[in-house]
Amino acid sequence: MSLSVDIEKKLGAFHLRSQFEAPDETMALLGASGCGKSMTLKCIAGIVTPDRGRIVLGGRVLFDSEKKINLPPQQRRVGYLFQQYALFPNMSVEQNILCGIRSGDKAEKRRVLAEKIRMFRLEGLEKKHPAQLSGGMAQRAAIARSLVTKPEILLLDEPSNYLDTPAVEWLQKRLRNYSGTLLLISHDRFLLNSITNITLEVDNGHVTRYQGNYNYYVHEREERRRHAEAAQENIDRKKEQLERNINRFRAKATKAAQVQSWIKMLDRIEDA
């Protein structure tokens, strides 16, 4: 399910400008802590309202500031796994999962519940509350709850936190089988390399797209940095040459026209 995001959100001195197009792919959202990754997910999910912009999922407008459209989270068909899971503490594992199943009669809901309990290896934990679960158990329960809503897009914020290696491998297989659009925040390079094919880098509130997994992103980012540095060096050399020529010939009447041309060229470079 394609996703289109073009939003802005100000929080104090921080200004998020998030603009990207996401096809039916598995994408990583990367960037330094505090750069706006989680805020972007919360805006897509409808938990936070952008100041302006537009969010469209599969042709459905989720948010449009100009048209005053802002669908509530339950109408967006967005599955969102919080970094801290956000399981209801007063509910058992099965109750947490059941609250995400919004269609079907009682028997059908129980069938779906049993399916997710088996799929996410939660047998024997059905009656336990979040405080009685390990981090990995709570993570699996939270993912199960996210998926029973049949979301058109799945947003995951650090899904491999607190998981050991076998659990991460299990998660990798489950996410590979997910058929919708998936947007993932993670510091787990193994997970990113194994399931993502697009990387979105958030830097100072701006989003840059890389067509590949984490390893490709690291390589391509370094190549872009080198090209940018080389281009800047060329600009600096050109500016120095123009400044030398201007200073050298400024007092010569025969060079007045040429000097003015050099000054205009220098102004254009500095304004670029």
Side-chain angles (χ1 to χ4, degrees), residues 67-120:
K67 295 181 179 180
K68 309 299 182 184
I69 297 173
N70 187 19
L71 296 186
Q74 61 269 27
Q75 293 182 16
R76 295 197 176 200
R77 299 191 67 181
V78 172
Y80 182 29
L81 176 69
F82 292 82
Q83 190 168 348
Q84 299 300 325
Y85 319 138
L87 293 171
F88 297 114
N90 60 328
M91 292 185 180
S92 66
V93 167
E94 66 177 10
Q95 288 172 330
N96 265 282
I97 297 173
L98 278 169
C99 75
I101 306 174
R102 301 191 179 97
S103 62
D105 56 21
K106 185 176 181 180
E108 174 62 15
K109 289 181 178 180
R110 281 289 168 182
R111 186 196 66 77
V112 174
L113 170 64
E115 176 187 276
K116 298 307 179 187
I117 291 292
R118 289 193 303 271
M119 179 183 295
F120 289 91

Side-chain angles (χ1 to χ4, degrees), residues 154-174:
L154 190 58
L155 311 177
L156 303 179
D157 196 345
E158 299 291 356
S160 60
N161 274 2
Y162 308 109
L163 301 184
D164 57 19
T165 299
V168 172
E169 292 174 348
W170 170 87
L171 176 64
Q172 168 197 330
K173 292 177 183 178
R174 290 298 175 193

Side-chain angles (χ1 to χ4, degrees), residues 187-198:
H187 289 87
D188 188 331
R189 299 182 182 185
F190 169 77
L191 183 63
L192 293 174
N193 278 323
S194 64
I195 68 171
T196 62
N197 42 35
I198 294 175

Side-chain angles (χ1 to χ4, degrees), residues 130-144:
Q132 300 172 293
L133 304 176
S134 69
M137 293 172 183
Q139 187 75 302
R140 296 202 302 273
I143 295 173

Side-chain angles (χ1 to χ4, degrees), residues 107-260:
E108 174 62 15
K109 289 181 178 180
R110 281 289 168 182
R111 186 196 66 77
V112 174
L113 170 64
E115 176 187 276
K116 298 307 179 187
I117 291 292
R118 289 193 303 271
M119 179 183 295
F120 289 91
R121 301 187 304 175
L122 295 168
E123 296 94 336
L125 304 176
E126 295 92 330
K127 304 299 182 181
K128 291 187 178 295
H129 286 68
Q132 300 172 293
L133 304 176
S134 69
M137 293 172 183
Q139 187 75 302
R140 296 202 302 273
I143 295 173
R145 188 183 65 181
S146 297
L147 288 177
V148 295
T149 61
K150 297 181 180 179
E152 294 178 352
I153 183 172
L154 190 58
L155 311 177
L156 303 179
D157 196 345
E158 299 291 356
S160 60
N161 274 2
Y162 308 109
L163 301 184
D164 57 19
T165 299
V168 172
E169 292 174 348
W170 170 87
L171 176 64
Q172 168 197 330
K173 292 177 183 178
R174 290 298 175 193
L175 295 182
R176 277 181 172 174
N177 292 330
Y178 178 68
S179 58
T181 301
L182 196 157
L183 191 53
L184 168 72
I185 296 174
S186 179
H187 289 87
D188 188 331
R189 299 182 182 185
F190 169 77
L191 183 63
L192 293 174
N193 278 323
S194 64
I195 68 171
T196 62
N197 42 35
I198 294 175
T199 301
L200 304 173
E201 181 187 48
V202 184
D203 184 23
N204 292 322
H206 296 271
V207 177
T208 304
R209 180 189 178 101
Y210 295 82
Q211 192 69 34
N213 65 10
Y214 180 81
N215 283 345
Y216 174 86
Y217 152 73
V218 171
H219 172 77
E220 181 64 17
R221 182 182 59 175
E222 180 61 20
E223 287 297 307
R224 293 185 188 186
R225 184 190 65 79
R226 290 176 181 173
H227 285 305
E229 288 180 352
Q232 186 60 49
E233 288 175 0
N234 287 334
I235 291 172
D236 291 342
R237 283 195 295 269
K238 189 170 185 178
K239 286 174 62 178
E240 289 174 3
Q241 182 63 52
L242 287 170
E243 288 169 350
R244 283 197 300 270
N245 289 343
I246 291 169
N247 292 332
R248 179 181 178 185
F249 298 105
R250 188 188 297 273
K252 292 188 177 182
T254 57
K255 291 288 187 176
Q258 183 64 66
V259 168
Q260 288 302 310

